């Protein structure tokens, strides 16, 4: 399935995939919501999405689908000049195809992703490895965000629908990964990290 806000790009890409016998084009959409609505109803193996899809955006769309069983593996199709490849990888995309790349390269990327591979241009992943928040699990990120709102362990238990013992277990792991000793330091780390990155959001 293809999703791009630009109707000309969507039309051209549709024609390319329609003509290639290795692919079966299930559907197209100009919005993230349209893409999401379709793949929740119809089996789709690989999705190619524009990073700036209205209105959710690529990062949020990837986050939502990451929580769904049998979600398609996603290839982000965007300009390579920005930080999008790194952000796409962090969000959980399976591949990245630059808009400047040849048609055959885009097709090859999609085939590789369909086979279970991850395909990205060269990335300096040192930033991903050294940022402690990038090392957190999905549950730990959610917990850190909830912590920043001042929730107690009991409230975290209710919010996340887990036992208070499980909350304590996750908090212990969270503190260890962030190299902090308590809740107050974890919250301080969270806000310091957001301030340092400027555009940082947990879903990215």
């Amino acid at each position: 399935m293809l999703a791009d806000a630009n109707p000309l790009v969507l039309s051209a890409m549709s024609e390319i995939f329609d003509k290639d016998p290795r692919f079966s084009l299930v559907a197209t959409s100009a919005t993230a919501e349209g893409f999401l609505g379709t793949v929740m109803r119809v089996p789709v193996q690989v999705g190619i999405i524009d990073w700036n899809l209205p209105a959710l955006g690529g990062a949020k769309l990837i986050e939502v689908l990451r929580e769904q069983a049998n979600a398609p593996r996603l290839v982000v199709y965007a300009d390579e000049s920005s930080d999008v490849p790194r952000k796409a990888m962090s969000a959980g995309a399976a591949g990245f195809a630059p808009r400047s790349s040849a048609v055959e390269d885009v097709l090859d990327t999609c085939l590789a992703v369909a086979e279970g591979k991850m395909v990205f241009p060269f990335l300096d992943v040192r930033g991903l490895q050294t940022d402690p928040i990038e090392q957190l699990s999905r549950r730990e990120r959610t917990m850190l965000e909830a912590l920043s709102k001042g929730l107690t362990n009991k409230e975290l238990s209710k919010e996340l629908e887990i036992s208070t013992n499980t909350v304590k277990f996750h908090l212990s792991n969270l503190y260890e990964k962030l190299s902090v000793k308590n809740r107050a330091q974890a919250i301080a780390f969270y806000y310091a990290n957001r301030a340092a990155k400027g555009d940082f959001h947990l879903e990215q």
Side-chain angles (χ1 to χ4, degrees), residues 9-202:
V9 172
L10 200 56
S11 176
M13 292 279 282
S14 298
E15 190 173 335
I16 290 165
F17 280 93
D18 260 339
K19 287 181 177 179
D20 194 312
R22 298 173 296 178
F23 295 93
S24 175
L25 183 60
V26 176
T28 64
S29 177
T31 67
E33 288 80 359
F35 182 91
L36 185 60
T38 299
V39 299
M40 296 294 275
R41 298 192 317 270
V42 183
V44 175
Q45 189 176 5
V46 176
I48 305 178
I49 63 168
D50 172 14
W51 183 249
N52 296 312
L53 269 180
L56 280 178
K60 188 67 176 177
L61 176 60
I62 294 169
E63 180 199 348
V64 172
L65 284 173
R66 202 167 52 189
E67 302 297 316
Q68 304 300 321
N70 302 317
R73 293 172 62 78
L74 298 177
V75 175
V76 172
Y77 185 61
D79 294 325
E80 196 176 9
S81 56
S82 65
D83 202 24
V84 173
R86 185 191 67 80
K87 288 183 177 180
M89 179 185 279
S90 294
F96 180 88
R99 288 188 182 271
S100 59
S101 57
V103 168
E104 194 56 45
D105 289 341
V106 176
L107 296 173
D108 286 345
T109 295
C110 292
L111 284 173
V113 165
E115 292 169 359
K117 299 173 184 174
M118 290 187 70
V119 185
F120 287 87
F122 173 76
L123 293 173
D124 184 350
V125 296
R126 287 174 297 179
L128 290 175
Q129 294 168 340
T130 56
D131 181 356
I133 285 186
E134 297 292 352
Q135 305 304 311
L136 300 181
S137 68
R138 171 70 184 154
R139 174 70 77 185
E140 288 161 352
R141 288 188 186 207
T142 303
M143 187 160 288
L144 180 58
E145 186 174 35
L147 265 186
S148 73
K149 299 173 185 174
L151 299 186
T152 64
N153 282 6
K154 189 175 181 181
E155 288 168 337
L156 285 171
S157 172
K158 184 177 180 182
E159 173 103 355
L160 303 175
E161 297 181 342
I162 55 179
S163 71
T164 52
N165 282 338
T166 304
V167 167
K168 291 175 184 176
F169 172 77
H170 283 304
L171 285 178
S172 175
N173 288 339
L174 181 65
Y175 296 162
E176 184 176 344
K177 288 183 180 180
L178 297 182
S179 299
V180 299
K181 295 180 179 179
N182 53 43
R183 177 183 306 255
Q185 289 182 359
I187 294 171
F189 185 97
Y190 170 76
Y191 284 112
N193 187 286
R194 291 193 65 164
K197 291 193 172 183
D199 65 342
F200 176 79
H201 297 285
L202 278 179

